[in-house]
Amino acid sequence: MDKTSTAPSLPAAAAAPAAPLLSIERVVKDYRTNGESVRALDDVTLQIESGEFVALVGRSGCGKSTLLHLAGAMDFPTSGHVRLDGMATDRPNEAQLTALRRKKVGFIFQSFQLLHTLSVVENVELPLLLAGHAHPRPRALDRLAAVGLADLAHRMTHQLSGGQMQRVAIARALVHSPRLLLADEPTGNLDSATGTSILELLRAISKDQKTAILMATHSTEAAAFVDTTIRMRDGRIVD
């Protein structure tokens, strides 16, 4: 009779939770203006996951745009910590941060920031050319198709409506497949119907492509399209 026995198997250890895509911890940002220190952000903490659509809502001067700049490694905190996709951006290394911005971050601006001497598709492929891609045209055309502008690829930007120009700007921001999309008042120069279509497009991008989106806006109506609304006042997040 075999008296050997098998030890009971132990349950597998639970996997550690994934780190958030963007982590901002106890951040303070001060600027010098006319020899005086002005606090733009005061003890701000937030986290954003992949595929999450977050709106920063508040009046002008409340710190929304400053927070976007820190999230995208375009500026650095006076104190506190910012991590994007595992990389600390509060300890500047310009070469690494330039690579991070080009690969991981896309930017959308209220005023579109398109180059009017270039065609639609040339505007979209420009970030890829700056990053050294030899053949950017197919990807640029693919991104234009994704925002519904495939038929307008070879038009000049001055021939477009405001909503179409913002769609071109979104295609350009997505052309390098960023993990984080930063949008500063993306509907601010658009009528309400066109603004709604842009918000619907951004929501679809966040869900379909698992792209995190951090959007600064004055619009309380935007809350209907996002996963999380963060209200700001005087450089602080308020409940």
Side-chain angles (χ1 to χ4, degrees):
M1 182 176 179
D2 186 358
K3 296 184 178 180
T4 61
S5 60
T6 303
S9 59
L10 297 175
L21 176 67
L22 175 67
S23 176
I24 296 175
E25 182 180 354
R26 306 293 304 271
V27 159
V28 170
K29 180 61 181 180
D30 294 330
Y31 291 104
R32 299 294 296 180
T33 302
N34 297 325
E36 296 184 357
S37 180
V38 176
R39 180 147 295 182
L41 293 175
D42 189 6
D43 197 23
V44 170
T45 293
L46 65 85
Q47 295 182 339
I48 299 177
E49 308 290 343
S50 296
E52 188 176 7
F53 190 2
V54 177
L56 301 173
V57 179
R59 296 179 178 178
S60 295
C62 71
K64 303 187 305 293
S65 294
T66 300
L67 191 52
L68 287 186
H69 293 162
L70 267 62
M74 294 184 290
D75 202 353
F76 312 106
T78 304
S79 64
H81 302 285
V82 179
R83 296 187 72 86
L84 174 57
D85 202 17
M87 179 178 175
T89 67
D90 47 282
R91 294 186 291 274
N93 177 311
E94 192 54 42
Q96 291 179 339
L97 293 180
T98 297
L100 180 73
R101 288 189 290 263
R102 286 182 176 175
K103 294 178 181 178
K104 301 291 181 73
V105 185
F107 301 94
I108 303 171
F109 304 97
Q110 179 177 350
S111 56
F112 317 135
Q113 299 290 335
L114 301 178
L115 297 178
H116 297 296
T117 56
L118 300 180
S119 69
V120 165
V121 70
E122 288 170 339
N123 267 279
V124 175
E125 67 187 7
L126 185 58
L128 296 179
L129 290 170
L130 293 174
H133 288 257
H135 304 288
R137 185 61 55 92
R139 192 184 299 184
L141 290 170
D142 178 71
R143 291 299 185 266
L144 282 170
V147 300
L149 293 182
D151 294 341
L152 303 182
H154 300 288
R155 287 196 184 182
M156 302 304 289
T157 57
H158 70 267
Q159 297 174 302
L160 305 180
S161 68
Q164 289 169 337
M165 284 193 282
Q166 192 61 289
R167 286 176 180 266
V168 174
I170 292 171
R172 180 184 58 189
L174 293 171
V175 74
H176 58 295
S177 302
R179 299 205 62 198
L180 175 66
L181 196 58
L182 301 173
D184 196 356
E185 301 285 356
T187 62
N189 286 340
L190 305 176
D191 62 72
S192 59
T194 304
T196 295
S197 71
I198 293 298
L199 290 169
E200 290 173 342
L201 175 60
L202 292 175
R203 181 171 63 181
I205 289 167
S206 71
K207 301 310 174 193
D208 297 343
Q209 302 182 26
K210 301 302 179 186
T211 303
I213 301 177
L214 182 60
M215 174 179 69
T217 180
H218 288 88
S219 171
T220 56
E221 291 82 3
F225 297 88
V226 304
D227 301 309
T228 305
T229 299
I230 297 174
R231 302 189 184 279
M232 296 190 68
R233 183 186 302 127
D234 300 330
R236 286 180 168 268
I237 292 174
V238 296
D239 293 334

